[in-house]
């Protein structure tokens, strides 16, 4: 049984579900442009309609209510609310989120709002994108406006979803929008995404609305493939770039010295200005953690099996550590090729509790893609996903028992959706979506999750 008050949620993001890319005055985002470029998205998929949540949000909220969710994590689309990322706001765009939130509240579902889940207004990219410091300030203004408009009905706020991805997949490997491959720019982007978080927190706090505000990071324990010095150095480097660069900044107000040293040939870091880290490291009400898998790495020449899986032609996101190989440690994998390892979640949570200032924690994303089949009897049987979520929830429970201040769990994702560069081929949903008809069908994992929520805990080993 989980503690009373434990938050049982599911998550989505605007770009992956909404569609309606030109509805009601929405501006263009970097993902709109990226999807139009040949070879960027598997199968040439795009999010023009996505799963039509913009029009079907009422039905989708009803689904959440049927599942018994106590909370729903979603993101707002910046270009829908502020088409050019600066200047005029679009009342119709804001209104969509007000209606969505009111619908959630009418069912007693707590809205958890993420301000940025990767859909930067194209006009801001044209002005330099995240490598430009001004983008952080634009984001703080945007955050202040959205917060002023919605904090009367939304209590839980997070700033930037997974800054690592925006910075290093967007500007180093180029597998995400805007598709640039510029290591030095990627590093500036990483800092400016952290700064955007810090400035947005400041701007929202200044409104004294009593909101709970957090940042959101994607964490992976990193294990050396062997005890060799080269592999241990590889693990230190990848852990540094993936985890500590963001955690230390947000929770300790400092960048790790060893990471700055690893990157010193790429940049002199002069983009870090006085006061930045104080803003970035200001106390938070919570930390949102996305967890999917563990990395096993090798630093030996020739030790590399594969770089992190990218669907299309791309460079390395691991700036300054391009030599590091990612080794398959032999665990079962999901349809993404990601190894299933719930013990990595335990390690991640313990590490936060042991090495960082105490802050309430939430798993804001966890889940798995599998090749789901819509059965002839109209059901979708996904035992692998049930087993994945069951194991990770069991681990969450163990972490809580060990004293970790974990207070909630959001499954990724509520519904199948547009999985970025992978398009629609990777299904993460608890709910199956027929992309032709937009029909939604609860998979067995959804029914299992609903039972779990109703019970307030795990009912026994998944079959
Ligand atoms: C995370 C993203 C989310 C989704 C999952 C599978 O990195 O935040 O949008 O794509 O991975």
């Amino acid at each position: 049984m989980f503690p009373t008050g434990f938050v049982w949620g599911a998550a989505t993001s605007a770009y992956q579900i909404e569609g309606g890319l030109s509805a009601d005055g929405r501006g263009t985002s970097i993902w709109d442009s990226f999807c139009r470029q040949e070879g960027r998205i598997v199968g040439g998929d795009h999010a023009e309609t996505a799963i039509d949540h913009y029009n079907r949000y009422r039905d989708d909220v009803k689904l959440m209510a049927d599942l018994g969710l106590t909370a729903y994590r979603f993101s707002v689309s910046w270009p829908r609310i502020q088409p050019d990322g600066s200047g005029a706001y679009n009342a119709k765009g804001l209104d969509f989120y007000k209606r969505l939130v009111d619908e959630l509240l009418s069912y007693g579902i707590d809205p958890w709002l993420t301000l940025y889940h990767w859909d930067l207004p194209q006009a801001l990219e044209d002005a330099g994108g995240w490598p430009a410091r001004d983008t952080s300030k634009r984001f703080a203004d945007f955050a202040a406006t959205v917060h002023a408009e919605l904090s009367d009905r939304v209590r839980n706020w997070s700033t930037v979803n997974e800054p690592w991805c925006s910075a290093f997949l967007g500007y180093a490997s180029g597998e995400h929008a805007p598709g640039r491959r510029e290591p030095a720019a990627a590093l500036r982007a990483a800092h400016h995404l952290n700064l955007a978080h810090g400035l947005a927190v400041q701007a929202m706090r200044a409104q004294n609305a009593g909101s709970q505000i957090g940042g959101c990071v994607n964490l992976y324990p990193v294990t050396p493939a062997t005890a060799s010095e080269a592999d241990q150095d590889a693990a230190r480097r990848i852990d540094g770039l993936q985890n500590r660069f963001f955690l230390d900044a947000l929770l300790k107000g400092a960048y790790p010295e060893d990471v700055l040293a690893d990157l010193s040939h790429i940049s002199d870091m002069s983009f870090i200005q006085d006061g930045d880290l104080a803003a970035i490291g200001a106390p938070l009400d919570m930390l949102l953690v996305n967890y999917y898998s563990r990395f096993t790495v090798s630093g030996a020449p020739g030790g590399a099996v594969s770089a992190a899986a990218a669907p299309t032609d791309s460079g390395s996101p691991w700036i300054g550590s391009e030599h590091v190989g990612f080794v398959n440690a032999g665990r079962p994998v999901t349809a993404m090729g990601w190894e299933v390892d719930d013990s990595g979640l335990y390690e991640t949570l313990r590490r936060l509790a042991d090495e960082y200032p105490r802050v309430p924690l939430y798993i804001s994303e966890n889940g798995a893609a599998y090749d789901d089949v819509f059965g002839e009897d109209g059901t979708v049987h996904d035992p692998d996903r049930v087993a994945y979520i069951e194991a990770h929830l069991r681990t969450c429970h163990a972490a809580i028992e060990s004293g970790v201040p974990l207070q909630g769990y959001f499954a990724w994702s509520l519904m199948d959706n547009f999985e970025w560069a992978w398009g629609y081929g990777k299904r993460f949903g608890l709910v199956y979506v027929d992309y032709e008809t937009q029909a939604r069908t609860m998979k067995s994992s959804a029914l299992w999750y609903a039972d779990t929520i109703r019970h307030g805990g795990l009912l026994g080993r998944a079959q």
Side-chain angles (χ1 to χ4, degrees):
M1 298 298 290
F2 281 73
T4 315
F6 189 78
V7 172
W8 296 99
T12 64
S13 86
Y15 200 73
Q16 294 176 276
I17 64 168
E18 286 178 0
L21 298 189
S22 38
D24 297 331
R26 178 185 176 279
T28 304
S29 88
I30 54 173
W31 274 93
D32 305 359
S33 315
F34 192 66
C35 290
R36 281 197 285 268
Q37 294 169 21
E38 210 170 312
R40 293 299 201 176
I41 314 293
V42 172
D45 286 352
H46 57 74
E48 199 61 52
T49 308
I51 60 168
D52 197 29
H53 174 74
Y54 191 68
N55 294 309
R56 294 167 193 262
Y57 73 93
R58 282 202 179 86
D59 295 342
D60 291 340
V61 173
K62 171 80 171 54
L63 262 175
M64 298 175 213
D66 291 344
L67 273 169
L69 299 186
T70 65
Y72 170 56
R73 173 175 179 250
F74 64 99
S75 75
V76 295
S77 156
W78 189 348
R80 199 180 284 296
I81 295 178
Q82 191 184 31
D84 290 330
S86 59
Y89 285 85
N90 174 27
K92 285 188 176 165
L94 260 169
D95 196 53
F96 169 68
Y97 298 106
K98 287 183 180 167
R99 283 183 278 128
L100 169 64
V101 166
D102 288 346
E103 195 71 16
L104 289 164
L105 293 173
S106 76
Y107 285 98
I109 301 169
D110 200 13
W112 283 56
L113 189 154
T114 298
L115 284 158
Y116 184 74
H117 200 127
W118 306 354
D119 44 357
L120 187 72
Q122 180 63 42
L124 291 186
E125 176 57 30
D126 295 342
W130 286 112
R133 189 176 173 91
D134 190 55
T135 304
S136 311
K137 296 186 187 143
R138 300 283 68 78
F139 179 70
D141 287 352
F142 166 69
T145 300
V146 178
H147 190 259
E149 294 279 346
L150 284 164
S151 56
D152 58 338
R153 50 197 118 176
V154 176
R155 185 173 138 80
N156 292 289
W157 293 75
S158 69
T159 52
V160 176
N161 175 73
E162 301 188 355
W164 182 88
C165 292
S166 281
F168 295 113
L169 300 181
Y171 293 90
S173 75
E175 75 199 76
H176 278 184
R180 287 163 60 180
R181 290 194 202 170
E182 303 163 38
L187 188 52
R188 286 203 308 277
H191 176 65
H192 293 145
L193 282 150
N194 283 341
L195 182 62
H197 157 82
L199 297 179
V201 171
Q202 249 171 31
M204 291 190 280
R205 291 254 193 259
Q207 295 173 8
N208 286 320
S211 301
Q212 296 288 302
I213 304 177
C216 177
V217 286
N218 52 324
L219 305 178
Y220 299 75
V222 187
T223 317
T226 72
S228 77
E229 222 170 274
D231 290 359
Q232 291 193 37
D233 184 62
R236 178 194 62 72
R237 286 168 169 271
I238 301 304
D239 174 51
L241 266 183
Q242 176 74 55
N243 302 317
R244 290 181 288 119
F245 187 84
F246 299 95
L247 282 179
D248 288 20
L250 263 60
L251 299 179
K252 295 180 176 172
Y255 285 125
E257 289 298 331
D258 63 310
V259 178
L260 296 183
D262 292 341
L263 299 170
S264 60
H265 62 292
I266 295 179
S267 168
D268 63 5
M269 315 288 163
S270 55
F271 53 81
I272 305 175
Q273 298 186 8
D274 282 356
D276 285 3
L277 279 154
I280 296 168
L284 296 174
D285 304 304
M286 56 189 178
L287 183 73
L288 276 60
V289 176
N290 295 354
Y291 175 83
Y292 288 95
S293 192
R294 170 201 293 284
F295 291 150
T296 305
V297 298
S298 160
V305 172
S306 65
T312 50
D313 178 37
S314 67
S316 170
W318 307 106
I319 60 169
S321 296
E322 291 86 353
H323 66 286
V324 171
F326 285 69
V327 177
N328 187 319
R331 298 183 187 87
V333 294
T334 69
M336 299 295 285
W338 298 348
E339 290 188 50
V340 178
D341 181 25
D342 59 283
S343 74
L345 175 57
Y346 188 81
E347 267 172 55
T348 298
L349 290 169
R350 280 290 351 147
R351 180 193 205 177
L352 284 165
D354 293 339
E355 297 175 23
Y356 289 91
R358 197 171 174 87
V359 60
L361 302 173
Y362 291 87
I363 298 302
S364 37
E365 287 183 24
N366 175 243
Y370 287 107
D371 296 327
D372 301 317
V373 178
F374 191 87
E376 279 172 21
D377 61 354
T379 64
V380 183
H381 190 48
D382 59 343
D384 289 339
R385 184 172 294 104
V386 173
Y388 182 101
I389 297 180
E390 202 261 357
H392 287 77
L393 274 174
R394 204 166 277 283
T395 297
C396 287
H397 189 266
I400 294 170
E401 298 270 280
S402 83
V404 171
L406 177 66
Q407 302 187 354
Y409 176 92
F410 292 80
W412 183 272
S413 177
L414 174 67
M415 299 173 283
D416 293 335
N417 59 47
F418 176 73
E419 179 49 34
W420 308 111
W422 294 93
Y424 296 98
K426 305 293 182 195
R427 294 179 176 273
F428 274 91
L430 299 171
V431 174
Y432 184 91
V433 178
D434 178 327
Y435 295 121
E436 299 284 316
T437 64
Q438 298 292 355
R440 275 78 159 138
T441 305
M442 287 204 196
K443 303 178 191 176
S444 8
S445 56
L447 301 171
W448 174 86
Y449 193 48
D451 276 349
T452 304
I453 297 173
R454 213 173 296 127
H455 182 66
L458 297 162
L459 289 159
R461 283 265 160 227
Q463 294 306 301

